[in-house]
Amino acid sequence: MKLNDNYKNLNESYLFSTIAKKVNDFIKTNPDKEVIKLGIGDVTLPLCSEVIKEMHKAVDEMANKETFKGYGPEQGYDFLKQSIKEYYEKKNVSLELNEIFVSDGAKSDLGNFLDLFDKENVVLIPDPVYPVYVDTNIMDGRKIIYANANEENKFLPMPDSSIHADLIYLCSPNNPTGAVYDREQLEKWVQYANDNDAIILFDAAYECFISDSSLPRSIYEIEGAKKCAIEFCSFSKTAGFTGVRCGYTIVPFDLKDDNKINKMWLRRQTTKFNGVSYIVQKAASAVFTSEGQKQIKENLNYYKENAKTICETLDKLGIKYTGGKHSPYIWLKCPNAMNSWEFFDLMLYKLALVGTPGEGFGENGKNWFRLTSFNTIEKTREAMERVYDYFK
Ligand code: PLP
């Protein structure tokens, strides 16, 4: 018996446990202070009523002999795939039902998809970014190279034709920086991927936060992307499904080698996955009705209002940041050349506020800090008053 030694190469992530410990100690020693958390990467509003209504109906169906459902299709029920297909049609992207795979979330698919790729592939990952891309590749022992995202490139690194990569991760809108690629920039990535016979793993988990119609919400809005890109999407942030669990991945038939990857993913899923529950898929399909779309937009607007409050405060203080406009994340440059932990301590000990040190997302996050809009309007305003009064 031999264990997978690659696990030894994973960096222990002390980020969230260190944050939790510091915050708990602070609360114990300062019981009179109201701590406001703007570090949360999870939604806070409940599921919308349209989703709940459909979910209840599905539960009742399960209680009835005539409508009860056992195992469903591993790749998702057609009713949900059809809704996803129509959602893409609104972005002028036409998909076949069998290019859509429903899953229990983007995180699982991002990790599981690596089953299909050889360990010898070179992986290009932006820094900073959602840490799952790095860790899942370390677990497999793949070589990782980094694309530096920094202030100079507005946290949107572009391809370097002198460097070859086989697998490329792009996350737009980005976690943690909130930066969004525009059409021309994505065209260059698609061109690079096609020139290098590479695959883009495009994480669109935050696409619904994009409110400017000129910005792409799917990589397939770019010509040639179906030849080189797989898109991962999720109901988590779109519709508050973080605890319900549902997502979907698009694997185009046109992708490389004569439809091979779509067939391999189907084989992988039918072998190792037994599908998302009927109740959850019914709930997810309610997101795409016109009432569902209206209701999720109300929730997204609530978060956007918070993001606006944060951005306006930073603007008044002249603190640099990215994100906020098309993202629940605001990525700010720590004032006075502080590193991200020094700034974390200042926010906690002086202002009783919690955010996330940028260092947790990669080397290039060392002097940056992530705030999120996932709190109440009242608490976000109160938090920003504290920031303004301290830094003005
Ligand atoms: N992708 C990004 C960029 C994320 O930030 C997250 C969650 O925070 C996920 C994927 C995970 O999504 P899901 O809840 O669908 O697994």
Side-chain angles (χ1 to χ4, degrees), residues 22 340-351 369:
K22 282 184 181 235
S340 63
W341 276 111
E342 285 166 344
F343 188 65
F344 175 89
D345 287 346
L346 183 151
M347 291 279 274
L348 179 62
Y349 302 133
K350 300 266 192 238
L351 307 177
F369 199 72

Side-chain angles (χ1 to χ4, degrees), residues 105-107 110 130 133 171 175 203 205-206 234 236-237 245 329:
K107 190 185 199 172
L110 283 158
Y130 182 51
Y133 314 151
C171 179
N175 176 13
D203 187 341
Y206 297 94
S234 168
S236 283
K237 309 295 157 80
R245 310 305 307 143
Y329 301 124

Side-chain angles (χ1 to χ4, degrees), residues 1-9 138-141:
M1 198 286 293
K2 213 171 156 241
L3 291 173
N4 179 352
D5 262 356
N6 295 320
Y7 276 64
K8 287 189 188 150
N9 301 327
I138 291 179
M139 286 172 180
D140 281 356

Side-chain angles (χ1 to χ4, degrees), residues 36-48 206 209 235-243 296 298-307 310 328-329 370 372-380:
I36 301 180
K37 294 183 180 169
L38 296 179
I40 318 166
D42 194 354
V43 292
T44 44
L45 293 172
L47 297 170
C48 65
Y206 297 94
F209 282 85
F235 292 94
S236 283
K237 309 295 157 80
T238 311
F241 272 51
T242 50
I296 64 156
E298 279 163 19
N299 287 1
L300 292 169
N301 285 341
Y302 186 93
Y303 298 133
K304 281 185 172 202
E305 191 56 38
N306 286 340
I310 298 172
Y329 301 124
R370 192 189 75 173
T372 83
S373 58
F374 296 126
N375 207 321
T376 63
I377 287 195
E378 295 73 25
K379 286 198 178 170
T380 306

